[in-house]
Amino acid sequence: DSGVTQTPKHLITATGQRVTLRCSPRSGDLSVYWYQQSLDQGLQFLIQYYNGEERAKGNILERFSAQQFPDLHSELNLSSLELGDSALYFCASSVEGSGEQYFGPGTRLTVT
Amino acid sequence: DQQVKQNSPSLSVQEGRISILNCDYTNSMFDYFLWYKKYPAEGPTFLISISSIKDKNEDGRFTVFLNKSAKHLSLHIVPSQPGDSAVYFCAASFFRNAGNMLTFGGGTRLMVKP
């Protein structure tokens, strides 16, 4: 158990819909990262937040957005969903200055 | 442009023998490298890491070697155990805008046979 929690574990929704994925980092970690794992693209970095502020951005679609709240939990919002958005979405957290990131169990999103 | 590559999609090893997983990278700005292990339906689990100022780091049965001139790293598992069967990902990072996003390789599936 990494100490990073993600909800929900599974999500099935239709094209065009909007969903919110939630992540709680390990106690004391200020950085939260979101990654997408799809069959054809592997594990891809989406976005990082540090203590409520956006810090780094990867190849995140404009239809996707994220935020980190004062209690440090983070949410990833996916809108206008397409079939190709079906993937595993992982959240990770780390201590400032540490290279190691600890991953949650992921949310499996299926868009039908 | 794949900056981190794991050229072997799978590896099969006998229990008790050494497993060697390889990883190549192209971006010389990477300064921190990590190995993760992943079981199906679970998140990646951190195994071991190495800074670019070192060429070897050891933790129990796991040793990571870094060859900066060749832009190559490897993970050695000795002795291999059936419970080591999983997908292994190498990852690289560099501090850009104070972030340390990870760039992952495509993974190598390790099968350790009893």
Side-chain angles (χ1 to χ4, degrees):
Chain A
D1 184 358
S2 67
V4 179
T5 61
Q6 288 187 249
T7 56
K9 196 168 178 62
H10 301 278
L11 201 47
I12 300 174
T13 189
T15 54
Q17 295 298 304
R18 172 190 167 95
V19 297
T20 297
L21 313 184
R22 182 188 169 106
C23 167
S24 292
R26 294 186 316 162
S27 177
D29 287 357
L30 299 180
S31 276
V32 169
Y33 309 79
W34 287 96
Y35 292 85
Q36 179 194 56
Q37 184 182 26
S38 57
L39 278 173
D40 56 345
Q41 293 289 326
L43 268 160
Q44 302 269 318
F45 168 74
L46 293 177
I47 196 163
Q48 179 202 1
Y49 275 80
Y50 173 78
N51 203 21
E53 303 277 332
E54 182 185 305
R55 182 166 270 193
K57 220 168 184 175
N59 295 325
I60 186 167
L61 298 171
E62 284 191 13
R63 301 183 284 109
F64 295 2
S65 64
Q67 53 185 326
Q68 187 179 26
F69 295 86
D71 67 353
L72 300 177
H73 92 270
S74 177
E75 292 180 358
L76 180 66
N77 300 295
L78 315 177
S79 62
S80 302
L81 284 168
E82 301 175 0
L83 294 177
D85 298 327
S86 296
L88 272 166
Y89 291 84
F90 290 105
C91 167
S93 72
S94 72
V95 173
E96 174 70 354
S98 167
E100 289 89 27
Q101 295 179 22
Y102 294 87
F103 283 76
T107 293
R108 180 175 292 280
L109 173 66
T110 303
V111 182
T112 62
Chain B
D1 174 25
Q2 227 181 333
Q3 298 188 69
V4 179
K5 286 185 183 178
Q6 294 175 255
N7 291 317
S8 298
S10 65
L11 174 68
S12 182
V13 169
Q14 205 66 35
E15 180 180 5
R17 307 296 289 265
I18 184 172
S19 294
I20 300 176
L21 297 104
N22 294 304
C23 179
D24 298 297
Y25 62 95
T26 56
N27 192 333
S28 57
M29 297 290 287
F30 287 136
D31 58 8
Y32 202 79
F33 304 89
L34 308 91
W35 284 94
Y36 285 84
K37 173 181 178 180
K38 188 179 181 305
Y39 294 116
E42 293 184 13
T45 300
F46 169 72
L47 274 178
I48 192 168
S49 60
I50 187 166
S51 163
S52 60
I53 62 172
K54 295 185 175 181
D55 54 19
K56 177 182 174 181
N57 189 26
E58 195 170 349
D59 184 1
R61 296 187 298 115
F62 302 93
T63 303
V64 57
F65 296 91
L66 176 62
N67 182 334
K68 281 182 294 184
S69 60
K71 295 193 181 69
H72 176 85
L73 63 153
S74 61
L75 175 69
H76 292 208
I77 306 174
V78 184
S80 301
Q81 299 172 354
D84 295 329
S85 297
V87 178
Y88 288 77
F89 291 95
C90 68
S93 73
F94 53 88
F95 284 88
R96 181 182 69 179
N97 297 329
N100 59 335
M101 52 174 278
L102 296 179
T103 301
F104 283 88
T108 297
R109 182 177 301 279
L110 173 66
M111 292 163 284
V112 180
K113 298 180 179 177

